[in-house]
Amino acid sequence: QMQLQESGPGLVKPSQTLSLTCDVSGGSINNVSYYWIWIRQHPVRGLEWIGYIFYSGITYYNPSLKSRVIFSIDTSQNQFSLKLTSLTAADTAVYYCAREERGSYVTDSWGQGLRVTVSS
Amino acid sequence: EVVMSQSPATLSVSPGERATLSCRASQNADINLAWYQQKPGQAPRLLIYGASTRESGVPARFSGSGSGTDFTLTISSLQSEDFAIYYCQQYNRWPRTFGQGTKVEIK
């Protein structure tokens, strides 16, 4: 069974760039069957879908974050990554990586989540 | 984007009772609607997709219905492990969007 695991800093300063990685185990990320997803959960605003990256490198970003986010994928390391620039306190959240199955378009597997706090 | 609205925000239910949760989409979502359960400190867990199809391993007391803009999650007889927050998500359009959640608490 495929598992996903986020890694990265738990505390970042305002105006800096957040870099997170999702390691995928139990299956290949080089797979036409899945979109690789980032989702975040704000303490108050709830769940926000950030976007996806396909194994080929094709991306789709939520328009609300499009100007500040970049995804990348490393099929040799079986991982994908998120960079979020110009951080503010509003970016404080739990960040999840997940997968969406392309046939059903259902997000059926999530990482455990990584809490990120933006504070000086 | 498609705005998802859930009601009520909090539902107080006694164990063994039935719980009915609602989700409304601002635009047609067809049957591309999923329900997730989230417990403290955990990632959301997929319960229902396609508006009414239970994910493998999900107990039969969970059922989903609806299409278009109005959806319902029903828990027929609440067990202690069902007290949690439930989210709906549409996957009919990009970007995917979630409701704000319904907290099911012990009455």
Side-chain angles (χ1 to χ4, degrees), chain A residues 72-119:
Chain A
S72 59
I73 192 163
D74 186 339
T75 54
S76 66
Q77 296 293 317
N78 225 39
Q79 62 184 204
F80 61 104
S81 300
L82 167 152
K83 287 190 188 300
L84 184 64
T85 64
S86 305
L87 293 172
T88 71
D91 295 308
T92 294
V94 176
Y95 285 76
Y96 294 99
C97 60
R99 75 177 192 193
E100 178 175 302
E101 203 271 320
R102 288 187 69 225
S104 64
Y105 297 99
V106 175
T107 303
D108 62 351
S109 186
W110 299 58
Q112 66 183 30
L114 182 70
R115 185 173 300 277
V116 176
T117 301
V118 180
S119 175

Side-chain angles (χ1 to χ4, degrees), chain B residues 86-106:
Chain B
Y86 293 83
Y87 295 95
C88 60
Q89 181 211 28
Q90 68 80 24
Y91 52 94
N92 197 50
R93 293 180 181 270
W94 308 100
R96 309 318 194 196
T97 49
F98 295 87
Q100 77 278 22
T102 291
K103 182 178 181 180
V104 177
E105 64 176 25
I106 300 174

Side-chain angles (χ1 to χ4, degrees), chain A residues 2-54:
Chain A
M2 202 174 280
Q3 293 187 317
L4 297 88
Q5 177 72 60
E6 307 87 351
S7 61
L11 177 66
V12 287
K13 290 181 167 43
S15 80
Q16 289 189 339
T17 295
L18 172 66
S19 295
L20 299 178
T21 296
C22 182
D23 288 294
V24 179
S25 59
S28 175
I29 201 171
N30 193 16
N31 191 326
V32 300
S33 298
Y34 302 111
Y35 293 116
W36 303 102
I37 304 290
W38 288 98
I39 294 166
R40 66 182 183 178
Q41 187 166 29
H42 300 272
V44 176
R45 299 202 309 274
L47 289 159
E48 181 178 27
W49 190 89
I50 301 173
Y52 75 74
I53 186 164
F54 197 42

Side-chain angles (χ1 to χ4, degrees), chain B residues 4 13 16 34 58 68 85:
Chain B
M4 307 300 292
V13 186
V58 173
I85 301 176

Side-chain angles (χ1 to χ4, degrees), chain B residues 1 6 21 30 36 56 59-60 68 71-72 74 76 89 94 99 104:
Chain B
E1 68 176 38
Q6 291 185 244
L21 289 67
D30 199 357
Y36 296 88
S56 176
F71 302 88
T72 300
T74 301
S76 59
Q89 181 211 28
W94 308 100
V104 177

Side-chain angles (χ1 to χ4, degrees), chain B residues 5-20:
Chain B
S5 301
Q6 291 185 244
S7 62
T10 303
L11 188 59
S12 297
V13 186
S14 299
E17 289 189 340
R18 182 185 193 92
T20 303

